[in-house]
Amino acid sequence: MTILPGPRPPRLTIRPTTPADRLVLERLWLLFRHDMSEVSGALPDASGQFRRERLDAAFTEPGWRGLVAHLEPADGGPASPVGFALVRGLDGPSRVLSSFFVVRGARRAGIGRQLAAHVLASFPGRWEIAFQDTNPPAVRFWREVASAAVGPEWDEEHRAVPGRPDLPPDTWISFTSLPNGPT
């Protein structure tokens, strides 16, 4: 009896963004900001766009970097963009995860954890990651990511949102990741 191998599982690829990724990231950005509007209360402007300074900076500013994640289906069809991460502070003492997003259809499959681990391993050093306490899935996710990256060696604190006294403080996790560490 011959046992045929099963179908190839989907494969996640993560790579730095290039100018060719701009349109895809602009579309994912709208989904990200729409999801975040539930927590932040932010509304799109008259043209239907959300603020996008951080997205633009990832393509134009020194010390910023974007990464994009694609899921390649088992059948060999075209890959689908499923998430992104924007990092700032690469030219300073601390890296800051400025934005992080995984599309809803790809959540709870480990893609976010793989993307986060890849980002942390790509830029070892001091990290700061912010999230809102009013977003319970983000609270759990980032605490688990920090623990997976550095065990119990991370700190958490609340910081006021600059220029927004009307908003509750953000929660910030900070730690130092090592190259090829547990991430």
Side-chain angles (χ1 to χ4, degrees):
M1 169 187 240
T2 303
I3 300 176
L4 299 174
R8 178 179 68 86
R11 184 170 75 105
L12 184 67
T13 60
I14 302 166
R15 62 173 175 72
T17 56
T18 68
D21 296 311
R22 181 126 191 176
L23 183 58
V24 167
L25 258 66
E26 287 175 353
R27 291 175 177 160
L28 290 176
W29 182 260
L30 286 174
L31 298 173
F32 164 64
R33 295 302 302 170
H34 171 73
D35 272 9
M36 290 301 299
S37 71
E38 182 176 9
V39 175
S40 69
L43 298 173
D45 65 19
S47 73
Q49 299 289 318
F50 287 94
R51 292 181 56 184
R52 52 184 275 167
E53 294 90 357
R54 289 179 283 163
L55 175 64
D56 293 337
F59 284 97
T60 62
E61 298 297 321
W64 283 75
R65 186 79 37 83
L67 293 103
V68 62
H70 286 85
L71 192 61
E72 298 175 11
D75 66 7
S80 296
V82 293
F84 68 86
L86 305 181
V87 179
R88 73 176 200 263
L90 295 175
D91 53 358
S94 293
R95 293 109 186 82
V96 177
L97 189 59
S98 181
S99 302
F100 185 91
F101 176 70
V102 173
V103 297
R104 288 180 182 234
R107 293 180 189 166
R108 293 176 186 64
I111 289 171
R113 292 188 198 300
Q114 289 179 59
L115 177 56
H118 182 90
V119 171
L120 297 175
S122 295
F123 309 107
R126 187 77 182 150
W127 275 95
E128 295 185 339
I129 301 170
F131 54 88
Q132 294 73 39
D133 287 336
T134 55
N135 186 350
V139 172
R140 281 189 305 276
F141 177 81
W142 289 114
R143 288 175 177 162
E144 290 171 5
V145 165
S147 293
V150 296
E153 300 299 317
W154 54 275
D155 297 310
E156 183 174 315
E157 68 177 309
H158 287 93
R159 298 181 196 166
V161 178
R164 294 296 309 268
D166 55 313
L167 294 178
D170 286 337
T171 301
W172 286 80
I173 285 181
S174 56
F175 56 86
T176 300
S177 68
L178 302 172
N180 303 317
T183 61

